[in-house]
Amino acid sequence: MRARDRLLAALLLAAVTAVVFLPAADGGFSALDDPDYVTDNAVVLAGLTWDGVRRAFTETRASNWHPLTWVSHMLDVDLFGLDARGHHAVNVLFHALNAGLLLLLLSGATGMLGRSLSAAALFALHPLRVESVAWVAERKDVLAGCLTLMAMLAHCRYARRPGRLRHAAVVGLAVLAMLAKPSAVALPLLLLVLDWWPLGRLGPHAGPAATGGPSVRAVLGEKVPLAAAAAITTGAAFLAQGAAGSMMSFATLSVPWRLANAAVALAVYPAKALWPATLSVIYLHPGPMVPLAAVAVAVLLLAVGALAAWRLARAKPWLAAGGAWYLAAVLPMLGLVQVGWQSMADRYTYLPLVGLVLAAVWLAAEAVRGRRAAARALAICAALVVVVFAGATRARIAAWRTDEALFGQAVAATGRHWYPVYMLGTALRRDGRPQESLALFEEVVRRMPAFLPAYWGLGRALLDLGRGDEALAAYEAAARQDPGSAEARERLGDAALLVRGGLPPRGGPP
């Protein structure tokens, strides 16, 4: 396999990926997280400055610490201002680059271009990728993904011909990936997976040190700087999340329920990859309401899969390697230390599912090896699956054009869960449709009376409709729900000033 063929295939896949995802550039900024990261972030809005870079490394926002992602947003503001098309286009370009990088990684490490192209295309054009690409706030996903793949490519180069500069390149890229998104702390484990298969530096297929191959101790020693960087990044992430109060306490969500949800998520992600029919931007954590039957089925499936990979590890190493890739990459996002209220997220599959796609492609290819007609039929089927996924991706991108479409789809996909209903109401009110939003806020207040933002949304919709006394009653109800909330008291005071014709409220309408 010539390097030129690999490069041409990578460029072609990147181009196709860019074309498929190009409509994402027509979307605007979302009300979900985009204000925190870009449109209401004064540091980012100032553009790329030395002070901004310093603050990106020393401050947190929305319970997250990812300074390199902040810097990329600053550069976007310098280039495009607040024209959302430019910000989206950069995400699309990163994802297209990642498709090409993955193809180069797999084909270079395995020497199999056809299989690598199938796996990379399935990764790149799957509708599960849309959330990471079409959401400006998820720049951290595609940026960290790009740096992670570059670090893995650099590791393959180092494995072929070790040297200090080559190892330094691996460590440097890994650190940059972690600065883009803390979930890249999985990189040391991912590199160990590569060392086991396909590089053959560990495990039953490794060459002994006496014949020129590295010892197990040397392979593990290479990862010490990466592990140290991962530990520092993890500590910084915990400090950021803990300071913002976004980590659920053990009293709020016990360890058994975290483990139960993690098991279900591990089984649901592959199911969504096979049948991406009910994707949503929001999957709220069910807490102690996780169905025990779902947990039992998930644990059984995971146990069977792990046992099969273990038993076949010597004969079919790609199965164990693919499963290990999946588990290692998704581990930081399983909610074992719960941050926020999500149970899972489509964006959490961005690199983790590469492992399962790799295992599936290699398993299918091995099943038809030596049978020309069957191999040709498999290639046709793979091409058809990629085309179908590309079509589903285009349809999924359309849901990200506006918040109304995005949260409306989430309401349908989640069986009218209260939080997507609230977000849809917020989107409609901001679009100047308070009458339509009113019923949605009233529904959330009935279903979740302790959720104060629903009262505030209800009050603002009533103010927009000129129903001041009812709006004031909504703010009073919020204050009664949580008498200790300073924000609830402040909003009530601002609403009272506005309704009774006093001074204008601070910061605009309540």
Side-chain angles (χ1 to χ4, degrees), residues 167-341:
H167 186 248
V170 176
V171 175
L173 289 167
V175 169
L176 290 175
M178 295 175 200
L179 292 175
K181 187 176 183 181
S183 62
V185 295
L187 247 171
L189 296 176
L190 290 176
L191 297 185
L192 286 174
V193 172
L194 285 181
D195 285 333
W196 192 80
W197 185 88
L199 298 180
R201 303 173 79 222
L202 290 174
H205 303 283
T211 63
S215 65
V216 172
R217 182 176 180 179
V219 171
L220 295 177
E222 299 164 359
K223 310 303 185 294
V224 170
L226 299 170
I232 294 171
T233 301
T234 301
F238 281 178
L239 288 174
Q241 293 153 356
S246 65
M247 289 193 293
M248 291 186 182
S249 68
F250 284 91
T252 303
L253 188 63
S254 65
V255 173
W257 291 116
R258 297 171 193 234
L259 293 172
N261 181 74
V264 172
L266 281 171
V268 168
Y269 286 143
K272 287 184 177 293
L274 289 171
W275 190 254
T278 55
L279 304 184
S280 171
V281 69
I282 300 167
Y283 307 99
L284 287 195
H285 202 296
M289 301 303 292
V290 178
L292 292 180
V295 176
V297 171
V299 170
L300 178 62
L301 290 174
L302 293 170
V304 170
L307 180 60
W310 177 263
R311 295 289 297 272
L312 297 170
R314 183 178 293 272
K316 295 178 171 57
W318 53 86
L319 287 179
W325 178 314
Y326 172 55
L327 292 175
V330 82
L331 182 63
M333 299 170 286
L334 280 179
L336 300 179
V337 177
Q338 185 68 30
V339 178
W341 293 92

